[in-house]
Amino acid sequence: MNKTMIRRAVLAGGIAILAAATYGSPERYIADMIWTDDAAPWEKVTAVYVPDRSKPNNVLVSDAQFADLEACRAHIHNLAVEHDDPDLKKGRYDCAIGFYAQQEDKGVTGDYRLMLQ
C-alpha cells in the first residue's frame, strides 16, 4: 500500500466514525463494532437468572451491575449454587449488556445491546 491509499483509508474511516456519531447512539454503534461479545468499557452488565425453567415467571434480576460478562457469569454461578443447581440443569440465565434508553411519548423505554449466556 502506498501513502495515498493509507490516507484515503484513514479519511474514509474518520468519515464513517463521524457519520455514526451524528446518527442515533454513537456509543452503541461503537460498542457493536468493537465489543461484539462483551461489554464496552462504558457499559454495565445485568444478571438475569431463572432458577426453574418450568416457572418462567420466577425471574431474579441483579441489583448489581457488573463491568464485564465474566463477573456476571460468576454472580449467576453463585445464585445457582444457592438454589442447589450448580450445573444449571434446572435453571437458565442471561447476561444483559449495555442498556440504552430511548425517550418516547409515553416515557422512557429502551433495550439491551446484547443478551448472552
Side-chain angles (χ1 to χ4, degrees):
M1 276 183 137
N2 62 29
K3 289 183 181 181
T4 304
M5 291 176 70
I6 293 172
R7 278 192 220 128
R8 287 180 184 168
V10 169
L11 180 61
I15 290 171
I17 290 171
L18 287 174
T22 60
Y23 180 77
S25 175
E27 296 91 3
R28 184 174 183 154
Y29 178 79
I30 292 169
D32 280 337
M33 296 274 298
I34 299 171
W35 292 276
T36 58
D37 59 352
D38 204 351
W42 57 86
E43 294 178 319
K44 297 296 181 192
V45 182
T46 304
V48 180
Y49 175 60
V50 178
D52 188 349
R53 293 175 198 225
S54 66
K55 299 176 185 173
N57 292 333
N58 182 14
V59 178
L60 303 175
V61 179
S62 68
D63 289 335
Q65 292 194 342
F66 306 98
D68 60 13
L69 189 58
E70 287 308 311
C72 173
R73 288 177 177 155
H75 179 73
I76 293 292
H77 178 71
N78 291 339
L79 286 175
V81 168
E82 287 176 17
H83 287 87
D84 297 322
D85 187 23
D87 297 329
L88 285 167
K89 292 185 179 183
K90 293 188 301 184
R92 66 175 180 81
Y93 76 95
D94 286 309
C95 291
I97 299 174
F99 184 78
Y100 289 89
Q102 298 170 351
Q103 186 70 30
E104 292 185 0
D105 295 337
K106 298 177 184 177
V108 177
T109 63
D111 61 340
Y112 287 95
R113 183 175 67 87
L114 288 174
M115 296 290 284
L116 298 174
Q117 288 189 341

